[in-house]
Amino acid sequence: MSAKHKIKVNKLNLYYGDNHALHDIEMTIESNMIAALIGPSGCGKSTFLRTLNRMNDLIDNVRITGSIMIDGQDIYSSETDIVSLRKRVGMVFQRPNPFPMSIYDNIAYGPRIHGIKKKANLDELVERSLKQAALWDEVKDRLNKSALGLSGGQQQRLCIARLLAVEPDVLLMDEPTSALDPISTLKVEELTQTLKEKYTIIIVTHNMQQAARISDVTSFFLNGNLVETDKTDKIFTNPNDQRTEDYITGRFG
């Protein structure tokens, strides 16, 4: 595997009981890029995203075949520490989900679980994470106030900061701006451009313009199949598959 290849997916199949939800997915994602997953509702893109940190393990009756290598290690190996995996591969959900505690404690929560107890170290981590998430200047004077008092866009950036505090390698984002207003959406999009300097980002989006604006590569899913993956400008201007063109031009979906 190339040193640049962060993630390599080989013949991945996923079943919910008898329902074959993902079919022979093959994909390679390089380090420090943004990969967008697009396709109509129910096409498998969010299911695929959750395979990358084994979130589907939490669902009864799920069976997976094939392999996913992250940094050359098969995350579905019996030797994989799932807690460690989810620290390395963090997830931002569709709706912001701050904990009902202070802004400071939201960020410090993960590091404390992983053994960081000294206040000076936590202070530094909280500040660094909030700065990385472009939120520090907005909240630095109210760190001890409830995170639930933040706006929706601020809450989503707080959730991103909470992930960054445990120092992951990969960020998974499942429609992270679908519940946000346009200004907050722009801030999160701008943030992803900064974060890809340090992280590999995979984002599920229903917003074609968003995929075109922020991603380096785009993958089109349909009925549990990966139809094609290519550089984003190629996907949106000259896709290889007619089904991709039909979707991005609004003929279905």
Side-chain angles (χ1 to χ4, degrees), residues 117-180:
K117 305 295 184 189
K118 283 189 177 178
K119 187 174 186 306
N121 293 346
L122 288 170
D123 287 350
E124 190 272 331
L125 245 176
V126 168
E127 180 173 346
R128 185 175 75 230
S129 301
L130 287 167
K131 282 180 174 175
Q132 279 187 287
L135 190 58
W136 174 252
D137 288 340
E138 295 170 46
V139 302
K140 63 185 178 183
D141 297 324
R142 48 175 172 152
L143 294 177
N144 294 319
K145 299 283 178 62
S146 171
L148 301 180
L150 297 174
S151 71
Q154 289 173 326
Q155 286 185 11
Q156 192 64 299
R157 281 181 286 145
L158 178 75
C159 292
I160 293 169
R162 192 172 66 199
L163 274 189
L164 301 181
V166 297
E167 301 180 332
D169 295 325
V170 178
L171 303 180
L172 308 179
M173 297 185 167
D174 194 357
E175 297 191 54
T177 63
S178 64
L180 304 183

Side-chain angles (χ1 to χ4, degrees), residues 213-231:
R213 281 193 300 266
I214 71 171
S215 67
D216 301 294
V217 297
T218 296
S219 299
F220 172 54
F221 282 76
L222 185 64
N223 299 327
N225 295 283
L226 175 56
V227 175
E228 64 177 303
T229 297
D230 214 324
K231 290 183 177 178

